[in-house]
Amino acid sequence: MDVVQHQILSLDFWQDTVSYEGKNFPSGTIGCDALNIPAALIKQITELCGSLNLFMGAMQLGMANAELFTSARESALQIVHKLKDIPPFSYLEEKRITAHIQKVFSNEYLENAMAYAQSLASGNLMNALDPQYQKALTLLRVVPVLAHLGYSLEQFQDTMLQFAESLNTAEQERSPSGYAASFGDFFSSNPSLSEEDGSWMSLTNASVQYVSFVGMFRSDLFEGLCVGHAPKKCPICGRWFLTTNARHTKYCGNLAPGDKLHRTCRQIGNLQGRSQRELAADHPIKQIYERRCNTINRYVKRGTLDADIAKRMKKLAKDKMLRALSNVSYAKGCYESEMEQESLLREVKQK
């Protein structure tokens, strides 16, 4: 976040990695981390953004005053403090960001911004481009990013959490081609993620700047999918973690919440017995059922499947899932084939 050079948000992509604030991560890490930001914290950030939006509106009209300015500065500092330990914001250097905010939210910058507004209001557009308004331009770039932060995070999670859930239970393999298929299923009206169709966004080996965090997080998540990296939900702690290969990794490597022995979720998961695994929501038999229900819902949403037939198909699928959990031979035999979309549809129509 270089507020002096106006490079508010930037990512450098190279092959399967992304560089952010001088640190390198597997592509998709930042977008995946943003999925874990607590909703309660986003609500707090949104409330703090209120005073920043009031100041921004007044500043654009040339009506900003010391009271609004002080309130906006305090809100900005509180936002930085609340996010300092929350990935991906924790990758930023809190002291440096705090110092920048204190510098930008100073009377010197405010006075320059007011002079800039007066210059625009008087119609002197050429004067407004004068280097003497450098401080004003800096303030005008920093304030909107902070003022829109809460809204940006809400917008990102509103769509991307649903998309991540669809990836978590998708029928396709966890590979670039599989993710491209899932992307096409979920964003049916959008361009594909395939390498052959790069019309949606070409980020590989590029340095990209953004005007909001939501754009940055979404781009990093999509770039990760292009190289086979995708979010996965840990069934033990419920947090999203990034997988970087086609293996169906179930558990993350973070410490399991509430475990007195300080074991990781992966260690706890590996120790679980068969009976516990069968009760888990991520059991393979249940995953087949969940994937089928998701597919049925998508067909209904697109208008290609009758709602009443879909309801009967899901009821039939649930019956088969319960049977498979109690009958090992059925589970290992024809359960999966009977859960195919066409098989369920054919059986419902026969009945």
Side-chain angles (χ1 to χ4, degrees), residues 1-7 100 103-104 109 134 138 142:
M1 180 179 289
D2 190 343
V3 294
V4 176
Q5 299 299 323
H6 311 315
Q7 296 174 358
H100 273 309
K103 178 181 179 180
V104 173
Y109 278 69
Q134 184 72 27
T138 299
V142 172

Side-chain angles (χ1 to χ4, degrees), residues 77 80-81 84-85 90 92-99:
L77 292 172
V80 173
H81 180 72
K84 67 183 180 68
D85 297 321
S90 59
L92 300 169
E93 295 181 17
E94 182 198 5
K95 291 183 179 180
R96 186 167 71 85
I97 300 303
T98 299

Side-chain angles (χ1 to χ4, degrees), residues 31-325:
C32 183
D33 285 336
L35 296 173
N36 290 315
I37 301 175
L41 178 58
I42 293 178
K43 183 178 180 180
Q44 294 176 26
I45 299 301
T46 301
E47 292 174 353
L48 288 170
C49 288
S51 57
L52 283 157
N53 278 290
L54 287 174
F55 169 70
M56 181 173 65
M59 182 173 61
Q60 292 171 343
L61 295 172
M63 301 174 60
N65 56 47
E67 182 179 356
L68 289 174
F69 189 55
T70 300
S71 179
R73 179 176 57 210
E74 290 305 313
S75 292
L77 292 172
Q78 286 187 54
I79 288 173
V80 173
H81 180 72
K82 286 181 178 294
L83 294 174
K84 67 183 180 68
D85 297 321
I86 307 296
F89 297 98
S90 59
Y91 305 142
L92 300 169
E93 295 181 17
E94 182 198 5
K95 291 183 179 180
R96 186 167 71 85
I97 300 303
T98 299
H100 273 309
I101 288 177
Q102 291 174 333
K103 178 181 179 180
V104 173
F105 282 83
S106 65
N107 291 331
E108 183 181 1
Y109 278 69
L110 176 61
E111 291 172 1
N112 194 244
M114 297 303 293
Y116 176 78
Q118 291 174 3
S119 180
L120 290 179
S122 64
N124 296 324
L125 298 181
M126 294 304 296
N127 290 340
L129 299 176
D130 193 287
Q132 67 175 312
Y133 297 119
Q134 184 72 27
K135 293 182 176 63
L137 294 174
T138 299
L139 187 61
L140 287 168
R141 284 172 170 82
V142 172
V143 172
V145 172
L146 294 171
H148 297 155
L149 179 56
Y151 176 77
S152 292
L153 294 176
E154 288 177 1
Q155 288 296 300
F156 174 79
Q157 290 197 351
D158 183 56
T159 301
M160 292 301 113
L161 278 174
Q162 295 180 52
F163 178 47
E165 290 285 0
S166 71
L167 289 175
N168 203 41
T169 56
E171 295 179 350
Q172 291 84 3
E173 61 180 85
R174 295 183 69 82
S175 65
S177 59
Y179 299 140
S182 296
F183 182 92
D185 287 342
F186 190 85
F187 299 101
S188 56
S189 62
N190 289 24
S192 73
L193 270 174
S194 66
E195 294 181 1
E196 292 77 12
D197 178 10
S199 59
W200 68 282
M201 187 181 296
S202 179
L203 297 177
T204 305
N205 303 339
S207 178
V208 186
Q209 294 183 20
Y210 305 89
V211 295
S212 71
F213 279 101
V214 66
M216 183 178 71
F217 295 156
R218 185 188 293 120
S219 297
D220 179 59
L221 195 65
F222 289 166
E223 180 69 16
L225 297 179
C226 292
V227 294
H229 303 170
K232 180 75 175 176
K233 195 173 199 177
C234 178
I236 292 182
C237 68
R239 291 179 61 81
W240 294 95
F241 65 100
L242 193 72
T243 63
T244 56
N245 54 45
R247 293 177 58 191
H248 287 267
T249 306
K250 286 186 177 182
Y251 309 102
C252 71
N254 297 321
L255 292 177
D259 185 66
K260 296 180 180 180
L261 298 179
H262 304 292
R263 291 171 293 187
T264 65
C265 291
R266 189 168 294 122
Q267 290 173 319
I268 296 294
N270 291 337
L271 290 173
Q272 288 182 336
R274 176 181 173 82
S275 60
Q276 289 177 303
R277 289 197 300 271
E278 288 182 349
L279 292 174
D282 72 326
H283 188 275
I285 290 175
K286 292 184 178 180
Q287 282 191 329
I288 292 173
Y289 166 72
E290 293 292 340
R291 288 197 299 267
R292 182 55 54 227
C293 287
N294 288 337
T295 302
I296 292 172
N297 289 335
R298 287 199 297 271
Y299 274 65
V300 173
K301 184 178 180 181
R302 295 174 185 172
T304 57
L305 183 63
D306 179 76
D308 182 62
I309 292 179
K311 182 178 179 181
R312 295 171 185 271
M313 288 174 66
K314 287 192 284 187
K315 173 62 168 63
L316 180 61
K318 185 175 183 180
D319 291 342
K320 292 180 181 294
M321 181 266 291
L322 295 174
R323 178 186 173 190
L325 287 174

